[in-house]
Amino acid sequence: ADGYYEYSMGECIYSTSDYSDMVLLLSVSFNKVVELQCNSSLGKCVGITEDGVRQAERFNKDQAFLQGLKAEANTVCKPNAQIFDSSVRDKT
C-alpha cells in the first residue's frame, strides 16, 4: 500500500554494572531514513536530514522534553536493565 512510514526507537545503552553511564538514545525515522537523534546524557537532539534539523531545533528549545528524556533514562532504562541483568547476566 502507498503511504508513509514513520517510527521512533529508543535504545538504552550502558556498560557499567551500577548503570551510572546509562544513556537513552531516541531515533526518529521517516520512510526508513533516520532524521533525528536525541541523547539523554547530552540533553540535546541532532538533526540528520533537513527536516530533522528543524525538528531538533524545536526539541532543543523544549526544556520539558529534554528533561523528560533524562528522566526516562532513570525511570525506564535503569529498571529494565536491572531486570535484564538479573535474569541473564547474573546467571552462572
Side-chain angles (χ1 to χ4, degrees):
D2 292 335
Y4 299 106
Y5 183 67
E6 181 176 19
Y7 67 97
S8 60
M9 180 176 67
E11 296 177 81
C12 301
I13 300 172
Y14 62 99
S15 62
T16 60
S17 60
D18 67 353
Y19 313 111
S20 61
D21 64 342
M22 182 67 70
V23 177
L24 172 61
L25 295 178
L26 176 66
S27 299
V28 178
S29 300
F30 182 74
N31 285 349
K32 300 182 181 180
V33 175
V34 178
E35 292 194 328
L36 170 75
Q37 290 188 320
C38 301
N39 183 312
S40 67
S41 67
L42 295 178
K44 71 176 198 172
C45 299
V46 176
I48 298 168
T49 63
E50 185 177 328
D51 185 50
V53 169
R54 286 192 296 273
Q55 291 180 53
E57 289 172 358
R58 183 171 41 94
F59 283 130
N60 288 333
K61 291 177 184 175
D62 186 348
Q63 289 302 311
F65 172 79
L66 297 174
Q67 291 299 320
L69 196 64
K70 289 181 180 183
E72 279 190 61
N74 291 321
T75 59
V76 176
C77 289
K78 285 184 182 181
N80 283 313
Q82 290 169 337
I83 292 168
F84 176 78
D85 286 351
S86 68
S87 65
V88 176
R89 188 183 298 174
D90 296 341
K91 303 293 182 201
T92 56

